[in-house]
Amino acid sequence: QVQLVESGGGLVQAGGSLRLSCAASGGTFSWSPMGWFRQAPGKAREFVAAINWSGGSTFYADAVKGRFTISRDNAENMVYLQMNSLKLEDTADYYCAAATGRPYYSGSPRREEYNYWGQGTQVTVSS
């Protein structure tokens, strides 16, 4: 059974950093694009960052570009999101997603291209 488990969320002051992790199990993800999305209270889930199967290509939402970095370790079936210079508006539940139906594709900002999702980890940025 495919499972994605996020960790690393928490409470941080504005300007601080957090590193989110996503552990993938129950399948082989080495050739799958992976992504991070977030959902703030009362808002729709939105794209944050994506990475292709090899880690050689990444894509970011404008709101996080230059502050967040997505990476992956295929040997460990892990995906990471390093978040620096956090802002109040980064407060949200963060979700890891896998696009196992699109092997060797680049990462995508389109939610419908991801077929597996984690349960989310909460990030709260305080002033």
Side-chain angles (χ1 to χ4, degrees):
Q1 182 178 353
V2 173
Q3 191 173 19
L4 301 176
V5 179
E6 302 94 337
S7 61
L11 175 65
V12 63
Q13 284 193 322
S17 298
L18 279 176
R19 188 195 196 203
L20 304 184
S21 299
C22 173
S25 62
T28 304
F29 297 87
S30 300
W31 53 73
S32 301
M34 302 289 290
W36 285 96
F37 290 75
R38 68 186 181 186
Q39 187 167 15
K43 295 188 177 181
R45 192 170 298 189
E46 64 177 7
F47 169 74
V48 175
I51 190 166
N52 76 330
W53 67 279
S54 69
S57 175
T58 56
F59 185 61
Y60 297 93
D62 288 343
V64 307
K65 201 172 296 183
R67 300 187 298 120
F68 291 11
T69 302
I70 187 171
S71 61
R72 65 189 298 163
D73 182 343
N74 284 341
E76 299 292 332
N77 276 348
M78 296 290 295
V79 180
Y80 304 99
L81 185 68
Q82 178 66 44
M83 306 187 296
N84 298 328
S85 302
L86 283 160
K87 303 177 180 180
L88 296 178
E89 53 264 41
D90 294 319
T91 294
D93 291 327
Y94 283 71
Y95 299 87
C96 174
T100 63
R102 299 176 61 80
Y104 303 113
Y105 275 66
S106 296
S108 170
R110 297 166 58 90
R111 286 181 54 186
E112 58 268 29
E113 294 184 4
Y114 295 87
N115 54 335
Y116 290 105
W117 294 81
Q119 293 300 306
T121 185
Q122 188 174 56
V123 172
T124 303
V125 184
S126 64
S127 59

